[in-house]
């Protein structure tokens, strides 16, 4: 080791006190402890809210259409309205982050397969349009046949709404997001299933909400499992998910999700329990997005998450080449 | 994958015959051709920054600001040696890093001119970091008079109060810049097409199209491009695209008094750099190495590459950067699987219990 790193020392000391450390002390050099990559400039709460709203809208729309098919009018209505409101709010959050509405339109001037944000914009825009048309028909009762078509289209786009945001985050040099690209879509899928179901559990009478309760329990299980893998199986950057502010958020999210997920199967008997479970799951899903976002920010700010895994990769390659 | 790096090979293959790996991350002979320019486009141009002759004068930083009309920042005293710029960013397209190291006292090696009495006492290719060596091992194999004030040689033992008798301070100085990657993550992820590949194979932001989404910023594995806070848009080095068209060299290279910043066709620069690093190695500066010149690295080779005298991370550079879009096909596969799973889960929840 050279001796010029000033910022590195304090960090190393802090780490050595951390009894939770899964990976042994990492030795690394950095330029005055400064980050190697630039942390995202995306605003909070705009972007975490965008992630939550998009996911919730996607699952709600899909649920609404299945409810339409299986004759559950209240669930259908809530699903369609939540799909529309959620996606429009999500567009609003994106525009607020960009600064000006015409900047959102600017995104539609090209379609670029290498840019998850471009692909995402082309998923979000038709989804919002279709979901909103369906919701208008649902409220006014006009053009029900067209609403079936637009609703089905939104339903098909719904799952894409849920998971493209994971690619959006992963396709960056941010270690906690990039290294987690195999897990993040499942965290978001689980989280969106619980949050979409949670809206229905809060707003739909219990006798129609059985599918939502099943989804809530299953989604919570998926979210917890995928988030655990994200923390434990992506090497050093996984630490960003259980340290500091991000760690606190992820623990709160897990507690809320577990509580809601366990209560969901029993919530059919009590409207009150259903609402409480729904609120708990919503909190879990919202906080999960903030936690994932914050973990990425933390991993971008600390050069060890960039340098150490890259050094290890080089060492492995050198060893393989002999 | 690598069928030679000759320009002809690249130019004859602008008909979509590149594999997706070559498109996203692998060696690419002719990035401008791949971007759609016809066979008549000029050769790929770039920077070779030889940090062994950088004197830290920051003429490059100033010349860049002057020519490109880049706003000044509030001057802060950072305490980071002579570095008050701190990093590349929207308003710093060149950044001179100052690394202060305490190293064992070194016999003077003439890094600039003809070979002096640098008697290499043994092969030390296996021990690159100075602190891991004893002074005996290191003496005569490292170091250089880089012309900075302060503690230049000759250093008499005990003369530096704060230092131990057998140690001295050395500076590593390096002018960092946008790498103009063969596979540029910033360009790949830009949703508006604001970032584009020029006919010279370089990467430029069109300021009037940039919509300030900020996606390019965390995408860059080198942490180069950044947002101008009062403006929201992203800015970075253009390699003086406006000067290139007139056959002028970029402002930073023009202003560099020691030729640390060299500009030219990338092929030529790579040859010149290989010669230079070999010469330094011969003179006993075994830690001299090239960074970013290999077309097989994670970004397909950099249009701006460096000769360094220590590990990349010491300079704030990533040791093994990868263009973020390399894994994109795999990312979409996982996201697709999760989306199908979501659809199946909802279907199952409705079809499952008939209630």
């Amino acid at each position: 080791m050279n001796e010029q790193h000033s910022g590195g020392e304090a960090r190393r000391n802090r780490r050595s006190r951390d009894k939770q450390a899964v990976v042994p002390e990492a030795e690394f050099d950095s330029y005055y402890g400064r980050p190697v990559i630039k942390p995202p400039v995306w605003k909070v709460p705009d972007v975490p809210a965008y992630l939550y709203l998009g996911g919730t809208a996607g699952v709600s729309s899909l649920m609404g259409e299945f409810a339409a098919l299986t004759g559950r009018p209240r669930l259908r209505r809530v699903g369609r309205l939540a799909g529309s409101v959620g996606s429009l709010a999500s567009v609003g959050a994106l525009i607020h982050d960009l600064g000006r509405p015409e900047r959102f339109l600017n995104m539609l001037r090209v379609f670029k397969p290498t840019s998850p944000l471009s692909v995402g914009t082309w998923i979000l825009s038709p989804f919002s349009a279709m979901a909103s048309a369906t919701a208008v028909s649902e409220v006014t009762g006009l053009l029900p046949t067209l609403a079936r078509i637009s609703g089905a289209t939104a339903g098909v786009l719904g799952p894409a709404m849920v998971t493209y945001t994971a690619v959006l985050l992963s396709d960056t040099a941010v270690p906690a997001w990039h290294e987690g690209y195999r897990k993040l879509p499942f965290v978001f899928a689980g989280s969106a299933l619980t949050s979409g179901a949670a809206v229905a559990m809060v707003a739909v009478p219990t006798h129609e909400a059985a599918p939502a309760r099943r989804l809530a329990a299953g989604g919570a299980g998926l979210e917890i499992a995928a988030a655990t893998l994200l923390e434990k199986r992506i090497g050093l950057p996984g630490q960003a998910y259980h340290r500091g502010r991000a760690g606190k958020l992820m623990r709160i999210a897990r507690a809320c999700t577990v509580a809601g997920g366990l209560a969901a199967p029993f919530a059919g008997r009590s409207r009150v329990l259903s609402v409480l479970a729904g609120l708990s799951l919503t909190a879990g899903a919202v906080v999960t997005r903030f936690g994932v976002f914050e973990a990425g920010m933390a991993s971008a700010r600390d050069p060890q998450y960039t340098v150490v895994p890259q050094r290890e990769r080089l060492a492995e390659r050198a060893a393989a080449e002999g | 994958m690598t069928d030679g790096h000759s320009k002809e090979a690249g130019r004859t293959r602008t008909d979509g015959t590149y594999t997706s790996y070559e498109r996203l991350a692998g060696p690419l002979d002719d990035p401008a051709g791949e971007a759609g320019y016809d066979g008549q486009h000029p050769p790929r141009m770039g920077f070779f920054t030889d940090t062994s002759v950088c004197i830290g004068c920051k003429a490059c930083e100033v010349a860049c600001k002057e020519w490109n009309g880049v706003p000044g920042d509030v001057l802060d005293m950072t305490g980071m040696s002579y570095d008050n710029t701190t990093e590349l960013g929207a308003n710093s397209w060149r950044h001179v890093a100052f690394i202060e190291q305490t190293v064992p006292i070194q016999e003077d090696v003439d890094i600039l001119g003809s070979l002096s009495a640098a008697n290499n006492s043994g092969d030390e290719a296996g021990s690159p970091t100075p602190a891991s060596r004893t002074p005996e091992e290191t003496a005569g194999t490292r170091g250089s008079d880089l012309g900075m004030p302060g503690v230049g040689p000759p250093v008499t033992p005990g003369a530096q109060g704060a230092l131990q008798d057998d140690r001295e301070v050395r500076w590593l100085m390096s002018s960092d810049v946008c790498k103009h990657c063969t596979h540029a993550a910033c360009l790949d992820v830009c949703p508006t097409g604001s970032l584009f590949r020029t006919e010279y194979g370089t990467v430029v932001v069109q300021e009037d199209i940039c919509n300030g989404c900020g996606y390019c910023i965390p995408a860059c594995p080198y942490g180069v491009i950044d947002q101008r806070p009062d403006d929201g848009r992203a800015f970075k080095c253009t390699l003086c695209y406006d000067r290139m068209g007139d056959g002028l060299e970029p402002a930073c290279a023009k202003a560099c008094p020691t030729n640390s910043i060299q500009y030219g066709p990338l092929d030529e620069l790579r040859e010149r750099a290989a010669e230079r690093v070999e010469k330094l190695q011969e003179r006993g500066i075994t830690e001299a190495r090239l960074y970013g010149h290999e077309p097989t690295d994670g970004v397909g080779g950099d249009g701006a590459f460096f000769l360094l005298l220590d590990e990349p991370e010491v300079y704030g550079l990533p040791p093994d950067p990868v263009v973020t879009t390399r894994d994109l096909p795999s990312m979409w596969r996982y996201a697709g699987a999760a989306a199908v799973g979501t659809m199946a889960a909802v279907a199952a929840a409705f079809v499952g219990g008939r209630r």
Side-chain angles (χ1 to χ4, degrees):
Chain A
M1 295 292 289
N2 291 333
E3 298 166 3
Q4 80 281 8
H5 35 62
S6 41
E9 292 303 334
R11 212 176 6 262
R12 237 190 308 283
N13 291 339
R14 174 152 40 85
R15 251 202 323 280
S16 59
R17 283 202 303 273
D18 186 351
K19 297 279 192 293
Q20 301 292 307
V22 177
V23 180
E25 287 306 295
E27 294 257 314
F28 75 104
D29 268 328
S30 68
Y31 183 65
Y32 296 102
R34 300 188 69 84
V36 171
I37 62 163
K38 292 270 186 293
V41 294
W42 295 326
K43 293 192 202 95
V44 176
D46 300 12
V47 171
Y50 169 78
L51 302 175
Y52 163 77
L53 291 166
T56 307
V59 167
S60 292
S61 272
L62 188 55
M63 225 166 45
E65 291 320 300
F66 272 104
L69 286 176
T70 56
R72 293 176 168 93
R74 298 292 296 271
L75 187 56
R76 181 194 72 204
R77 192 178 183 85
V78 166
R80 286 177 167 179
L81 289 178
S84 169
V85 171
S87 62
L88 290 178
S90 160
V91 171
L94 178 58
I95 286 173
H96 188 257
D97 187 59
L98 291 173
R100 285 202 303 269
E102 59 266 36
R103 284 185 167 173
F104 178 76
L105 295 177
N106 205 10
M107 305 265 242
L108 297 168
R109 68 186 279 275
V110 288
F111 174 75
K112 238 174 111 176
T114 60
S115 171
L117 188 52
S118 174
V119 175
T121 306
W122 283 105
I123 293 170
L124 175 62
S125 305
F127 176 87
S128 324
M130 291 294 134
S132 298
T134 315
V136 168
S137 166
E138 179 69 42
V139 172
T140 61
L142 297 170
L143 303 171
T145 316
L146 278 181
R148 293 221 91 140
I149 297 169
S150 62
T153 311
V156 169
L157 286 170
M161 279 287 287
V162 168
T163 57
Y164 87 80
T165 45
V167 182
L168 182 70
L169 296 188
S170 301
D171 194 22
T172 60
V174 174
W177 295 341
H178 190 92
E179 300 308 319
Y181 75 81
R182 296 177 181 86
K183 280 71 175 186
L184 219 42
F186 295 95
V187 176
F188 282 7
S191 186
L193 286 171
T194 58
S195 62
V199 172
M201 285 172 67
V202 170
V204 176
T206 48
H207 70 273
E208 264 192 36
R213 289 192 293 274
R214 283 193 284 272
L215 272 183
L222 176 61
E223 183 186 336
I224 298 296
T228 305
L229 288 178
L230 185 63
E231 285 181 30
K232 307 242 152 117
R233 293 284 176 82
I234 64 167
L236 184 68
Q239 290 189 359
Y241 289 98
H242 60 248
R243 291 202 168 159
R245 239 170 71 84
K248 206 173 285 171
L249 290 170
M250 293 303 278
R251 282 190 291 278
I252 293 171
R254 176 170 294 150
C256 293
T257 303
V258 167
L262 289 176
F266 309 101
R269 295 177 212 152
S270 153
R271 188 85 178 86
V272 174
L273 185 59
S274 184
V275 170
L276 287 177
L279 292 177
S280 179
L281 289 170
T282 300
V286 171
V287 178
T288 295
R289 311 308 167 112
F290 279 85
V292 168
F293 188 81
E294 177 57 31
M297 295 297 287
S299 78
R301 283 191 216 108
D302 188 337
Q304 66 155 334
Y305 293 114
T306 304
V307 171
V308 175
Q310 291 191 15
R311 276 251 78 99
E312 286 168 358
R313 202 158 64 203
L314 281 177
E316 273 167 32
R317 211 180 303 149
E321 282 166 9
Chain B
M1 270 162 43
T2 56
D3 57 353
H5 302 307
S6 75
K7 225 167 270 131
E8 279 67 32
R11 282 189 188 169
T12 53
R13 293 179 55 192
T14 52
D15 54 350
T17 56
Y18 286 109
T19 64
S20 66
Y21 169 72
E22 287 170 320
R23 282 248 163 79
L24 292 174
L28 194 65
D29 302 311
D30 179 16
E34 161 64 8
Y37 294 96
D38 66 22
Q40 301 307 307
H41 68 78
R44 184 173 180 192
M45 303 301 273
F47 281 131
F48 165 46
T49 306
D50 179 352
T51 71
S52 70
V53 293
C54 177
I55 56 169
C57 69
K58 304 187 197 178
C60 51
E61 288 190 15
V62 176
C64 172
K65 274 189 190 283
E66 285 286 336
W67 178 264
N68 293 299
V70 176
D73 285 317
V74 178
L75 185 66
D76 260 335
M77 293 301 172
T78 60
M80 292 161 49
S81 191
Y82 286 80
D83 181 2
N84 296 318
T85 311
T86 67
E87 62 186 358
L88 288 176
N91 294 345
S92 304
W93 298 356
R94 272 272 178 192
H95 162 237
V96 179
F98 286 74
I99 298 118
E100 282 182 22
Q101 295 179 321
T102 314
V103 294
I105 284 178
Q106 300 150 12
E107 205 173 289
D108 192 21
V109 175
D110 184 0
I111 208 164
L112 296 170
S114 58
L115 187 62
S116 68
N119 297 317
N120 192 345
S121 55
D123 178 21
E124 294 182 76
S127 57
T129 49
S132 64
R133 302 181 199 163
T134 65
E136 287 73 26
E137 281 174 335
T138 314
T141 69
R142 320 173 31 91
S144 45
D145 177 8
L146 296 175
M148 289 301 290
V151 285
V155 178
T156 47
Q160 303 300 319
L163 295 176
Q164 292 161 358
D165 289 352
D166 57 347
R167 301 178 80 74
E168 64 179 352
V169 169
R170 78 158 173 173
W171 271 290
L172 297 180
M173 285 154 280
S174 164
S175 179
D176 196 8
V177 70
C178 170
K179 315 300 179 290
H180 294 277
C181 309
T182 302
H183 298 284
C186 58
L187 194 162
D188 284 348
V189 305
C190 173
T192 62
S194 161
L195 278 144
F196 75 106
R197 179 81 56 186
T198 72
E199 64 271 35
Y200 303 99
T202 57
V203 179
V204 173
V205 194
Q206 297 176 83
E207 295 168 10
D208 52 342
I209 296 179
C210 174
N211 74 349
C213 71
Y215 202 7
C216 52
I217 294 161
C220 174
Y222 294 102
V224 170
I225 193 165
D226 205 0
Q227 184 182 49
R228 207 169 274 171
D230 57 341
D231 175 298
R233 294 176 298 169
F235 294 86
K236 72 168 193 70
C237 160
T238 68
L239 226 148
C240 282
Y241 186 44
D242 52 344
R243 292 171 64 92
M244 290 165 93
D246 286 338
L248 299 171
E249 63 181 328
C252 56
K254 186 80 185 169
C256 179
T258 63
N259 227 12
S260 170
I261 300 173
Q262 300 175 28
Y263 162 79
L266 197 57
D267 290 347
E268 274 177 38
L269 292 177
R270 282 177 177 163
E271 276 173 38
R272 206 184 299 166
E275 277 173 33
R276 173 69 181 160
V277 77
E278 198 180 324
K279 202 170 286 177
L280 286 175
Q281 296 265 359
E282 275 171 19
R283 288 182 195 173
I285 303 168
T286 53
E287 62 276 22
R289 77 206 60 199
L290 295 180
Y291 175 81
H293 64 300
E294 281 287 347
T296 52
D297 70 8
V299 300
D302 291 325
F305 65 104
F306 300 81
L307 187 154
L308 304 178
L309 296 177
D310 205 334
E311 300 293 339
E313 59 270 26
V314 170
Y315 295 86
L317 295 165
D320 184 32
V322 170
V323 58
T324 49
T325 37
R326 184 192 65 182
D327 302 315
L328 192 58
S330 188
M331 288 176 192
W332 282 121
R333 273 196 292 278
Y334 278 91
V340 170
T342 303
M343 181 72 92
V346 176
F350 276 87
V351 176
R354 285 268 64 201
R355 275 181 55 83

